[in-house]
Each structure stands twice: as structure tokens, then as C-alpha cells.
Amino acid sequence: MNTKHTIPSDEELTAFIDGELTAEEAARIDAIVNEDESVAERLEFLARASLPFEQAFAPLLSEAPREKLETMLAAIPAQPSARPTSTPAFASRRRFLGALAASLVAGIAIDRAVIGIGRGFSAKDENSEWRAVVADYISLYTPETLAGPVPGREDQAAQLASLDEKLGLSLSPEAVSLSGIDFKRALLLQYDGKALAQVAYLDPETGPMALCIVRSDAGPKAPDLESRKGMNVVYWSNGTHAFMLIGHAAADRMTAIAEGVRGKVT
């Protein structure tokens, strides 16, 4: 019988991956990973995603004092001596995670500064591949990820101004505003060497939502709809940029929201 334990949050697993835990904390997380296959799979996903998690979860991490994390980790029972029999594939993952844990304990952090998946960003696939990467990233967001007060207009303008030079756009708070949905933050990310802007929102009805933009020379495309990671995505492009609006709202509502913002940002 497996010993019950508190499932680590994505923020804790991210801190584990990025080498931000003490050796004792990392060892406790490693014990849970070795005991619980679902936690191991989640850690492996986070480790392989190569996304800027530190930037995404910075507000949560800054609000979580070390004492609280230590209390949570201290409540996790010790790992039982007997381990369940693993399949060869799972054993391979254990070796991978074991090596990862050893590196973290030694203080070697994994760089998460950019989105780098080692795939080409050619005209033929940029209309789908970058959306898949963004969907993987946004699927990790929860309402708590975007908790906190709505930035004032001046703060919003300053965040958006940091995107303009890299993207060749002039985005104002009014241009990216979504009716009834709170602006939370604007981030400049990177996908395979290309600037990727993300404007994150919190919809009081359905949770996280994001407007993402990359440069594109694939030509104009009328808005279309697709589903990724359980979310609805409305995407379109003009002669210079590709856009996507992604969120958990129903397809017709997402389409209406996208139509409202499309005319303002293009």
C-alpha cells in the first residue's frame, strides 16, 4: 500500500527543476517522484517543456515564503523501503529523474530563459507549431497564477512598450483590452529565436486567457478556430504578424472576443 502524501504543486516542481530548493527539500520531492507515477510524469513534462516557468510563476513564488514550503514538505511522510515494480519505460524515466535530482542537489540549474524546442520555425509550420507550444504553456496556468490586482493603465502601457521594439508593433492598453476580462501582465518570450509577445488575462468566468503574437511572413489569414489542450484557440494573421487568442471560454465567446481585439491590434 502506498503511503499517502501531499501532491507537490506545479510551482514546487518547477522550483525543484530550477534548483531553487535546498538539498533536503529536493530529496523529499525526489522521494515523492519515485513513489507516485503521476507526479513523476508531471515532473518529466515540466522538465521537458523548456518553457519560461520561472517568469510565469514568479508572482506565486514571490508570495510563497520558504517557511510555508518547508512546512508543506515536512508533512510528507518518509518514502517506504519497498518500491513497486516498474516497467522498462518507467525505469528509464526514473533514471532520467534521478540524474536530474542529483544535478539539482549539486546546484546545477536548468536554464528556462526561452522557449526552445529545437524545431524549425519555417513559413509552412509557423501557423500551427508555435500555437502548440503556447497551448502547452498556457495549459499550466491556473487562476492563482494570475492572481493579484489589475495593473494601472500606466503600468500596462510600460509593459506593452517593452514588446513594441521586438515585434514592430505599437500596442496600447486600449488596443489589447478585452471587455469584462482583466489585463494581468504582458511578457516578451522567445520561440526558436523569434520574439513572442504574450498578454495574459484573467476571465472571471472561465479563468486564464492569453493573446499571443509573433512576427510572420506567411501572409494574411482570416480568423479560424481550433481546440488545443482543452482550450479554444482563435488564430489569424496579417502581412507581418500571426495572432492567437487562447482560453477556456466557449468557442462562440472566444470568437466574439477575438473579433473585438483583432481590429484594434492589426
Side-chain angles (χ1 to χ4, degrees):
M1 179 180 297
N2 289 335
T3 303
K4 292 183 178 180
H5 55 251
T6 302
I7 301 298
S9 66
D10 282 353
E11 291 79 20
E12 291 176 83
L13 293 177
T14 299
F16 177 82
I17 292 170
D18 287 337
E20 296 176 352
L21 301 180
T22 65
E24 181 180 358
E25 292 168 341
R28 289 181 182 273
I29 295 292
D30 185 50
I32 299 175
V33 167
N34 279 278
E35 178 184 341
D36 192 319
E37 183 172 357
S38 66
V39 176
E41 290 174 346
R42 188 61 177 170
L43 178 62
E44 183 176 4
F45 169 78
L46 294 174
R48 290 183 176 179
S50 296
L51 295 169
F53 295 106
E54 181 177 1
Q55 198 172 19
F57 292 120
L60 286 179
L61 293 174
S62 64
E63 295 172 4
R66 181 166 296 277
E67 290 78 6
K68 182 178 179 181
L69 293 177
E70 289 178 346
T71 300
M72 294 170 64
L73 290 168
I76 301 173
Q79 177 187 359
S81 57
R83 298 185 181 180
T85 302
S86 302
T87 65
F90 194 60
S92 296
R93 179 170 61 247
R94 285 288 184 264
R95 287 193 291 271
F96 164 76
L97 294 173
L100 172 64
S103 296
L104 293 170
V105 172
I108 301 173
I110 298 174
D111 183 9
R112 303 230 165 247
V114 299
I115 302 175
I117 62 171
R119 297 176 182 173
F121 191 68
S122 62
K124 67 179 178 63
D125 68 7
E126 66 176 323
N127 284 333
S128 61
E129 198 59 57
W130 78 282
R131 297 197 305 273
V133 174
V134 169
D136 282 340
Y137 182 30
I138 300 300
S139 69
L140 300 176
Y141 278 18
T142 68
E144 290 72 24
T145 308
L146 300 173
V150 176
R153 187 195 182 284
E154 185 175 334
D155 191 9
Q156 291 182 32
Q159 292 182 39
L160 292 168
S162 68
L163 311 178
D164 291 347
E165 181 180 354
K166 294 290 186 181
L167 285 174
L169 287 173
S170 181
L171 299 173
S172 67
E174 292 74 23
V176 301
S177 66
L178 306 182
S179 178
I181 300 173
D182 292 335
F183 175 107
K184 284 299 184 175
R185 62 173 179 255
L187 298 173
L188 180 63
L189 308 176
Q190 183 173 300
Y191 171 73
D192 200 28
K194 290 183 178 288
L196 188 160
Q198 178 200 110
V199 183
Y201 308 86
L202 186 59
D203 178 12
E205 296 182 16
T206 62
M209 187 177 295
L211 172 67
C212 298
I213 310 169
V214 294
R215 286 183 181 271
S216 170
D217 57 4
K221 177 176 174 52
D224 205 349
L225 178 71
E226 65 184 1
S227 178
R228 291 183 182 271
K229 294 291 182 177
M231 295 173 286
N232 286 310
V233 180
V234 182
Y235 60 97
W236 68 95
S237 62
N238 58 21
T240 57
H241 296 83
F243 304 81
M244 66 178 285
L245 181 72
I246 181 170
H248 299 272
D252 56 350
R253 183 162 177 254
M254 290 294 294
T255 300
I257 295 170
E259 187 60 30
V261 74
R262 176 173 167 248
K264 296 185 294 183
V265 298
T266 58

